[in-house]
Amino acid sequence: MNIKMLTVGAMALAMMTGSALAAGNTSALDDPAKMSPFFTDAGMKTLKSEKDFMTAWKAMKPDEQKAVLKDCGDTTLNKSHADFCAMAKKMGG
């Protein structure tokens, strides 16, 4: 019985540690507070017009813009945010 409890405890600890480490690798593209100004809907699926996107882009701090463009350079992140990244690259270089 003790070995089973130790094994279950070790597995639970390993799962919690893994999820905690994964949570630390977030991107600017997954931050709803930063990204919501660029979308028309709460689900962040429909981009605003180019004019409204430009307004939201200019409202960002330069370091935030750099972080977004850096994340858009990552092929994995770019796949899930392709439309946004295309527009961001158009705005920011």
Side-chain angles (χ1 to χ4, degrees):
M1 182 70 171
N2 287 336
I3 292 177
K4 286 183 182 179
M5 292 300 285
L6 288 173
T7 304
V8 170
M11 288 176 54
L13 180 62
M15 285 190 280
M16 290 186 319
T17 303
S19 64
L21 290 174
N25 293 332
T26 59
S27 97
L29 301 176
D30 295 324
D31 183 359
K34 288 182 184 173
M35 301 307 292
S36 62
F38 297 98
F39 293 92
T40 61
D41 56 334
M44 294 193 288
K45 300 290 180 196
T46 307
L47 285 174
K48 289 186 175 180
S49 69
E50 188 171 338
K51 180 182 174 187
D52 292 338
F53 193 100
M54 174 74 84
T55 302
W57 182 259
K58 287 181 177 181
M60 290 178 79
K61 296 176 184 174
D63 59 322
E64 291 174 334
Q65 292 175 351
K66 287 179 185 176
V68 166
L69 291 173
K70 180 181 176 241
D71 289 346
C72 283
D74 181 275
T75 55
T76 304
L77 291 172
N78 196 337
K79 283 182 185 177
S80 58
H81 302 284
D83 294 337
F84 174 85
C85 285
M87 187 71 82
K89 287 177 183 177
K90 187 175 182 181
M91 301 293 155

